[in-house]
Amino acid sequence: MINLILFGPPMAGKGTQATMLIETYDLIHLSTGDMLRAEIKAGTQLGLEAKTFMDRGDLVPDAVLVGMIQSTLSSNPDAKGYIFDGFPRTIPQAEALDKGLESLNTSIHMVLSMEVPREELRERRVKRALASGRTDDDPEVFEKRLDNYMNLTFPVKGYYQERNKLTEVDGIGSEEEVFARLKAAVDSLASDQG
Ligand code: AMP
């Protein structure tokens, strides 16, 4: 199995790159943002609860996320691996993910941290807000999401750095340029493992 985390602030391009990576490496794309939006669309209780947090630009409580991830991991026993996109966003989520993977006798192999400066993220937000119609792309909500990223999610980088799993990748450039950098990092991992 090969398990990757695509890490980075909102608007770093994680979703786009995850889509390109799953095609190349035949992995399961696990985007917690997409999963939550699907719950909202389906009108489930979980979706209703999550929506209040998402609309404010806040993180959905850890217990909800951990439950979602655990059920996905256990319902895909034949997976070749995963790309976690937008998860983990807190240290408790990272710890829960480690435990969940350990029970499958596997682990996170690499955390690809997409580095994009704040000003560039703000410029991208303006463009996506026009196309996406996502209420959490509104300017005030987006600022809250950036603050939550710095306060709650950024420390997750240190968690993986301490475990020698972190690779920083320049997230500026065309989709193809960024993808080439990510691919080079993942391929180096595959050759390390022989
Ligand atoms: P995303 O599409 O990854 O930007 O996620 C959209 C929103 O869903 C976030 O702003 C959070 O409110 C919520 N969300 C997604 N993933 C997580 C997570 N791992 N932990 C907490 N909240 C999350």
Side-chain angles (χ1 to χ4, degrees):
M1 258 178 122
I2 170 162
N3 301 305
L4 308 172
I5 294 175
L6 259 189
F7 187 85
M11 227 58 91
K14 300 188 295 290
T16 307
Q17 294 298 333
T19 307
M20 294 165 86
L21 285 165
I22 50 168
E23 281 171 19
T24 307
Y25 297 102
D26 197 12
L27 304 172
I28 293 178
H29 181 194
L30 216 157
S31 158
T32 47
D34 285 351
M35 290 164 81
L36 290 167
R37 281 184 288 276
E39 295 280 346
I40 293 173
K41 208 168 163 200
T44 65
Q45 185 62 32
L46 190 157
L48 279 176
E49 281 167 27
K51 190 173 185 311
T52 57
F53 294 93
M54 292 166 77
D55 284 349
R56 291 199 301 257
D58 279 330
L59 294 186
V60 175
D62 286 337
V64 174
L65 273 295
V66 170
M68 270 175 28
I69 290 290
Q70 276 166 351
S71 72
T72 306
L73 291 180
S74 53
S75 57
N76 290 289
D78 299 326
K80 289 189 183 163
Y82 292 93
I83 294 188
F84 297 94
D85 161 10
F87 181 92
R89 263 177 156 102
T90 62
I91 300 276
Q93 290 181 19
E95 289 168 348
L97 179 60
D98 276 351
K99 283 208 189 90
L101 291 173
E102 207 178 298
S103 67
L104 300 174
N105 291 320
T106 185
S107 60
I108 290 296
H109 297 94
M110 185 178 263
V111 179
L112 297 152
S113 175
M114 297 178 62
E115 304 295 318
V116 181
R118 242 177 133 108
E119 269 324 298
E120 167 81 13
L121 299 171
R122 291 193 175 106
E123 282 167 28
R124 291 183 185 182
R125 182 207 66 78
V126 175
K127 288 189 199 134
R128 188 172 81 178
L130 292 172
S132 75
R134 274 174 56 169
T135 48
D136 60 353
D137 283 345
D138 290 349
E140 299 80 27
V141 178
F142 186 69
E143 287 304 314
K144 183 82 176 292
R145 293 173 70 204
L146 285 181
D147 287 346
N148 281 329
Y149 172 78
M150 279 317 295
N151 297 330
L152 300 168
T153 305
F154 187 76
V156 173
K157 223 174 131 168
Y159 177 92
Y160 289 109
Q161 199 155 27
E162 282 165 20
R163 288 158 179 77
N164 291 323
K165 301 209 167 164
L166 190 79
T167 301
E168 292 185 333
V169 175
D170 180 3
I172 300 282
S174 69
E175 286 175 9
E176 291 73 21
E177 282 165 344
V178 176
F179 179 69
R181 292 177 202 136
L182 292 169
K183 187 174 180 301
V186 179
D187 287 345
S188 74
L189 175 73
S191 61
D192 279 355
Q193 291 189 331

